Amino acid sequence: MNRHLLRTVPMAVLATFTFGAHAADFPKDHPITLVVPFAAGGPTDRVARDLAEAMRKPLGGATILVDNAAGAGGSIGANKVAKSNPDGYTLLVHHIGMATMPTLVRNIPFKVESDFEYLGMINDVPMTIIGKPTLPGSTFKDLTAWIGKNKGQINLANAGVGSASHLCGLLFQTALKTDMTAVPYKGTGPAMTDLIGGQVDLMCDQTTNTSVQIEAGKVKAFAVTTAKRLTTPALKDLPTLQESGLKNFQVTIWHGLYAPKGTPVDIQKKLNDALKVALKDPDFIKRQEALGAVIVSDKRSEPAEHRKFVTAEIAKWSPIIKAAGVYAD
């Protein structure tokens, strides 16, 4: 390109040339960062770290780092990605919070449906209803009888406003038509510690966090939130809430991969292609299944179906959150 052309070509076009060259080499000599909007060691963090390992090979051995940016119902980390350079090197791994933030977070500084490129979904994670080890009985019928006798005195732990355990807890109370005292913690770890110690009564949390504790007998498990029973050894004997009498109670905490709005289309395709390879990686599948997670194997691994699904989830959760009157500031 000679000097005369450089003087006459608009800057927007020059930017396109620059992005095109960059996209052709992506990723090259630069680490990719997966931002997780929750604390290290939690369920979403585990998903992201397993995914990072599985996506390295299809991305040519790229270095993939995990950055935990927790707070405000998952919106701090999401905003960090929304405002980052749209070059494919800063991505977001988020769960169902992408569908609940528009209602849950006041003055949210971005738009979930328009400020991200949707790259595809990763997994579905069932939830489990668990209780402190000293609770009487062992069946869901026993649990509901105990809840009926102790109305107004039950503490329901969660990992913070906007967390998966908080959202499941809201739906659980709605389904039972009873109110419990929500006890928010700064993460799943301390909530689980107090549940095991008997300081709180109940929690509804992801299998990625509860399977080990259930198998070790440190908590009582009453039901899973899926349509069908799970096959994971530690959970295979647990009934579903639906077969236990709570009709149409199905909750899974899904995870998806996102890039900032404006990320070049060919980079988006490379990332989606790498994601789909990762979703078929035997080691990734094995690690996720051991935690009770189910790898996405349907069209939701495609960007358009991912976006369609999240839009439907926003419509599902908005009235539940508004009715509960809870917000993450």
CSV table of all heavy atoms in Angstrom, one decimal, residues 105-135:
chain,number,residue,atom,x,y,z
A,105,VAL,N,-29.2,-7.4,39.3
A,105,VAL,CA,-28.2,-6.4,39.6
A,105,VAL,C,-28.7,-5.0,39.2
A,105,VAL,O,-29.0,-4.8,38.1
A,105,VAL,CB,-26.9,-6.7,38.8
A,105,VAL,CG1,-25.8,-5.6,39.2
A,105,VAL,CG2,-26.3,-8.1,39.2
A,106,ARG,N,-28.8,-4.2,40.2
A,106,ARG,CA,-29.3,-2.8,39.9
A,106,ARG,C,-28.2,-2.0,39.3
A,106,ARG,O,-27.0,-2.2,39.6
A,106,ARG,CB,-29.7,-2.1,41.3
A,106,ARG,CG,-30.9,-2.7,41.9
A,106,ARG,CD,-31.4,-1.8,43.0
A,106,ARG,NE,-31.2,-2.4,44.3
A,106,ARG,CZ,-32.0,-2.2,45.4
A,106,ARG,NH1,-33.0,-1.4,45.2
A,106,ARG,NH2,-31.7,-2.8,46.5
A,107,ASN,N,-28.6,-1.2,38.3
A,107,ASN,CA,-27.6,-0.3,37.6
A,107,ASN,C,-26.5,-1.1,36.9
A,107,ASN,O,-25.4,-0.8,37.0
A,107,ASN,CB,-27.0,0.7,38.5
A,107,ASN,CG,-28.1,1.6,39.2
A,107,ASN,OD1,-29.0,2.1,38.5
A,107,ASN,ND2,-28.0,1.8,40.5
A,108,ILE,N,-26.9,-2.3,36.3
A,108,ILE,CA,-25.9,-3.1,35.7
A,108,ILE,C,-25.2,-2.3,34.6
A,108,ILE,O,-25.9,-1.6,33.8
A,108,ILE,CB,-26.6,-4.4,35.1
A,108,ILE,CG1,-25.5,-5.4,34.6
A,108,ILE,CG2,-27.6,-4.1,34.1
A,108,ILE,CD1,-26.1,-6.8,34.3
A,109,PRO,N,-23.9,-2.3,34.5
A,109,PRO,CA,-23.2,-1.4,33.6
A,109,PRO,C,-23.0,-1.9,32.2
A,109,PRO,O,-22.2,-1.4,31.4
A,109,PRO,CB,-21.8,-1.2,34.3
A,109,PRO,CG,-21.6,-2.5,35.0
A,109,PRO,CD,-23.0,-3.0,35.4
A,110,PHE,N,-23.7,-3.0,31.8
A,110,PHE,CA,-23.6,-3.5,30.4
A,110,PHE,C,-25.0,-4.2,30.1
A,110,PHE,O,-25.8,-4.4,31.0
A,110,PHE,CB,-22.5,-4.5,30.3
A,110,PHE,CG,-22.6,-5.6,31.4
A,110,PHE,CD1,-23.3,-6.8,31.1
A,110,PHE,CD2,-21.9,-5.5,32.6
A,110,PHE,CE1,-23.5,-7.8,32.1
A,110,PHE,CE2,-22.0,-6.5,33.5
A,110,PHE,CZ,-22.8,-7.7,33.3
A,111,LYS,N,-25.1,-4.6,28.9
A,111,LYS,CA,-26.3,-5.3,28.4
A,111,LYS,C,-26.0,-6.7,28.0
A,111,LYS,O,-25.2,-6.9,27.1
A,111,LYS,CB,-27.0,-4.5,27.3
A,111,LYS,CG,-27.5,-3.2,27.6
A,111,LYS,CD,-28.1,-2.5,26.4
A,111,LYS,CE,-28.7,-1.1,26.8
A,111,LYS,NZ,-29.3,-0.4,25.7
A,112,VAL,N,-26.5,-7.6,28.8
A,112,VAL,CA,-26.2,-9.1,28.6
A,112,VAL,C,-26.5,-9.5,27.1
A,112,VAL,O,-25.7,-10.2,26.5
A,112,VAL,CB,-27.0,-9.9,29.5
A,112,VAL,CG1,-27.0,-11.4,29.1
A,112,VAL,CG2,-26.5,-9.8,30.9
A,113,GLU,N,-27.6,-9.0,26.5
A,113,GLU,CA,-28.0,-9.5,25.2
A,113,GLU,C,-27.3,-8.8,24.1
A,113,GLU,O,-27.4,-9.3,22.9
A,113,GLU,CB,-29.5,-9.4,25.1
A,113,GLU,CG,-30.2,-10.4,26.0
A,113,GLU,CD,-31.7,-10.4,25.8
A,113,GLU,OE1,-32.2,-11.2,25.0
A,113,GLU,OE2,-32.4,-9.6,26.5
A,114,SER,N,-26.6,-7.7,24.3
A,114,SER,CA,-26.0,-6.9,23.2
A,114,SER,C,-24.5,-6.6,23.4
A,114,SER,O,-23.9,-6.2,22.4
A,114,SER,CB,-26.8,-5.7,22.9
A,114,SER,OG,-26.8,-4.8,24.1
A,115,ASP,N,-24.0,-6.8,24.5
A,115,ASP,CA,-22.6,-6.4,24.8
A,115,ASP,C,-21.6,-7.6,24.7
A,115,ASP,O,-20.4,-7.4,25.1
A,115,ASP,CB,-22.4,-5.6,26.1
A,115,ASP,CG,-23.0,-4.2,26.0
A,115,ASP,OD1,-23.2,-3.8,24.9
A,115,ASP,OD2,-23.2,-3.6,27.1
A,116,PHE,N,-22.1,-8.7,24.3
A,116,PHE,CA,-21.2,-9.9,24.2
A,116,PHE,C,-21.5,-10.7,22.9
A,116,PHE,O,-22.6,-10.6,22.4
A,116,PHE,CB,-21.5,-10.9,25.4
A,116,PHE,CG,-21.2,-10.3,26.8
A,116,PHE,CD1,-22.2,-9.7,27.5
A,116,PHE,CD2,-19.9,-10.4,27.3
A,116,PHE,CE1,-21.9,-9.2,28.8
A,116,PHE,CE2,-19.6,-9.9,28.6
A,116,PHE,CZ,-20.6,-9.3,29.3
A,117,GLU,N,-20.4,-11.4,22.5
A,117,GLU,CA,-20.6,-12.4,21.5
A,117,GLU,C,-20.7,-13.7,22.1
A,117,GLU,O,-19.9,-14.1,23.0
A,117,GLU,CB,-19.3,-12.4,20.5
A,117,GLU,CG,-19.0,-11.0,19.9
A,117,GLU,CD,-20.0,-10.5,18.9
A,117,GLU,OE1,-20.9,-11.2,18.6
A,117,GLU,OE2,-19.8,-9.4,18.5
A,118,TYR,N,-21.8,-14.4,21.8
A,118,TYR,CA,-22.0,-15.7,22.4
A,118,TYR,C,-21.3,-16.8,21.6
A,118,TYR,O,-21.5,-17.0,20.4
A,118,TYR,CB,-23.5,-16.0,22.4
A,118,TYR,CG,-24.4,-15.2,23.3
A,118,TYR,CD1,-24.3,-13.8,23.3
A,118,TYR,CD2,-25.2,-15.8,24.3
A,118,TYR,CE1,-25.0,-13.0,24.2
A,118,TYR,CE2,-25.9,-15.1,25.2
A,118,TYR,CZ,-25.8,-13.7,25.1
A,118,TYR,OH,-26.6,-12.9,26.0
A,119,LEU,N,-20.4,-17.5,22.3
A,119,LEU,CA,-19.5,-18.5,21.7
A,119,LEU,C,-20.0,-19.9,21.8
A,119,LEU,O,-19.5,-20.8,21.0
A,119,LEU,CB,-18.1,-18.4,22.2
A,119,LEU,CG,-17.4,-17.0,22.1
A,119,LEU,CD1,-16.1,-17.0,22.8
A,119,LEU,CD2,-17.3,-16.6,20.6
A,120,GLY,N,-20.9,-20.2,22.7
A,120,GLY,CA,-21.4,-21.6,22.8
A,120,GLY,C,-21.5,-22.0,24.3
A,120,GLY,O,-20.8,-21.5,25.1
A,121,MET,N,-22.4,-22.9,24.6
A,121,MET,CA,-22.5,-23.4,25.9
A,121,MET,C,-21.6,-24.6,26.2
A,121,MET,O,-21.2,-25.3,25.3
A,121,MET,CB,-24.0,-23.8,26.2
A,121,MET,CG,-24.9,-22.6,26.2
A,121,MET,SD,-26.6,-23.0,26.6
A,121,MET,CE,-26.4,-23.6,28.3
A,122,ILE,N,-21.3,-24.8,27.5
A,122,ILE,CA,-20.3,-25.8,27.9
A,122,ILE,C,-21.0,-27.0,28.6
A,122,ILE,O,-20.7,-28.1,28.2
A,122,ILE,CB,-19.4,-25.1,28.9
A,122,ILE,CG1,-18.7,-23.9,28.3
A,122,ILE,CG2,-18.3,-26.2,29.4
A,122,ILE,CD1,-18.0,-23.0,29.3
A,123,ASN,N,-21.8,-26.8,29.6
A,123,ASN,CA,-22.4,-27.9,30.3
A,123,ASN,C,-23.7,-27.5,31.0
A,123,ASN,O,-24.0,-26.4,31.1
A,123,ASN,CB,-21.4,-28.5,31.3
A,123,ASN,CG,-21.0,-27.5,32.4
A,123,ASN,OD1,-21.7,-26.5,32.6
A,123,ASN,ND2,-20.0,-27.8,33.2
A,124,ASP,N,-24.3,-28.5,31.5
A,124,ASP,CA,-25.5,-28.4,32.4
A,124,ASP,C,-25.1,-29.0,33.7
A,124,ASP,O,-24.6,-30.2,33.7
A,124,ASP,CB,-26.7,-29.1,31.9
A,124,ASP,CG,-27.2,-28.4,30.6
A,124,ASP,OD1,-27.6,-27.2,30.7
A,124,ASP,OD2,-27.4,-29.0,29.6
A,125,VAL,N,-25.3,-28.3,34.8
A,125,VAL,CA,-24.9,-28.9,36.2
A,125,VAL,C,-26.2,-29.0,37.0
A,125,VAL,O,-26.8,-28.0,37.3
A,125,VAL,CB,-23.9,-28.0,36.9
A,125,VAL,CG1,-23.5,-28.6,38.2
A,125,VAL,CG2,-22.7,-27.7,36.0
A,126,PRO,N,-26.5,-30.2,37.4
A,126,PRO,CA,-27.7,-30.4,38.2
A,126,PRO,C,-27.5,-29.9,39.6
A,126,PRO,O,-26.3,-29.6,40.0
A,126,PRO,CB,-27.8,-32.0,38.3
A,126,PRO,CG,-27.1,-32.5,37.1
A,126,PRO,CD,-25.9,-31.5,36.9
A,127,MET,N,-28.6,-29.6,40.3
A,127,MET,CA,-28.5,-29.2,41.7
A,127,MET,C,-29.0,-30.3,42.6
A,127,MET,O,-29.7,-31.2,42.2
A,127,MET,CB,-29.4,-27.9,41.9
A,127,MET,CG,-29.1,-26.8,40.9
A,127,MET,SD,-27.5,-26.0,41.2
A,127,MET,CE,-28.0,-25.0,42.6
A,128,THR,N,-28.6,-30.2,43.9
A,128,THR,CA,-29.0,-31.1,44.9
A,128,THR,C,-29.5,-30.4,46.1
A,128,THR,O,-29.0,-29.4,46.5
A,128,THR,CB,-27.8,-32.0,45.3
A,128,THR,OG1,-26.7,-31.2,45.6
A,128,THR,CG2,-27.4,-33.0,44.3
A,129,ILE,N,-30.6,-31.0,46.7
A,129,ILE,CA,-31.1,-30.4,48.0
A,129,ILE,C,-30.4,-31.2,49.1
A,129,ILE,O,-30.5,-32.4,49.2
A,129,ILE,CB,-32.6,-30.7,48.1
A,129,ILE,CG1,-33.3,-30.0,46.9
A,129,ILE,CG2,-33.1,-30.1,49.4
A,129,ILE,CD1,-33.2,-28.5,46.8
A,130,ILE,N,-29.6,-30.5,49.9
A,130,ILE,CA,-28.8,-31.1,50.9
A,130,ILE,C,-29.1,-30.4,52.3
A,130,ILE,O,-29.5,-29.3,52.3
A,130,ILE,CB,-27.3,-31.1,50.6
A,130,ILE,CG1,-26.8,-29.7,50.4
A,130,ILE,CG2,-27.0,-32.0,49.4
A,130,ILE,CD1,-25.3,-29.5,50.2
A,131,GLY,N,-28.8,-31.2,53.3
A,131,GLY,CA,-29.1,-30.6,54.7
A,131,GLY,C,-28.0,-31.0,55.6
A,131,GLY,O,-27.1,-31.8,55.4
A,132,LYS,N,-28.0,-30.4,56.8
A,132,LYS,CA,-27.0,-30.7,57.8
A,132,LYS,C,-27.2,-32.1,58.3
A,132,LYS,O,-28.3,-32.7,58.2
A,132,LYS,CB,-27.2,-29.7,59.0
A,132,LYS,CG,-28.6,-29.8,59.7
A,132,LYS,CD,-28.7,-28.7,60.8
A,132,LYS,CE,-30.0,-28.8,61.5
A,132,LYS,NZ,-30.2,-27.8,62.6
A,133,PRO,N,-26.1,-32.7,58.7
A,133,PRO,CA,-26.1,-34.2,59.0
A,133,PRO,C,-27.1,-34.6,60.2
A,133,PRO,O,-27.4,-35.7,60.2
A,133,PRO,CB,-24.7,-34.5,59.4
A,133,PRO,CG,-24.1,-33.2,59.7
A,133,PRO,CD,-24.8,-32.1,58.9
A,134,THR,N,-27.5,-33.6,61.0
A,134,THR,CA,-28.3,-34.0,62.1
A,134,THR,C,-29.8,-33.9,61.8
A,134,THR,O,-30.7,-34.1,62.7
A,134,THR,CB,-28.0,-33.1,63.3
A,134,THR,OG1,-28.2,-31.7,62.9
A,134,THR,CG2,-26.6,-33.3,63.8
A,135,LEU,N,-30.2,-33.5,60.6
A,135,LEU,CA,-31.6,-33.5,60.2
A,135,LEU,C,-32.3,-34.8,60.4
A,135,LEU,O,-31.7,-35.8,60.0
A,135,LEU,CB,-31.8,-33.0,58.8
A,135,LEU,CG,-31.7,-31.5,58.5
A,135,LEU,CD1,-31.9,-31.2,57.0
A,135,LEU,CD2,-32.6,-30.7,59.3
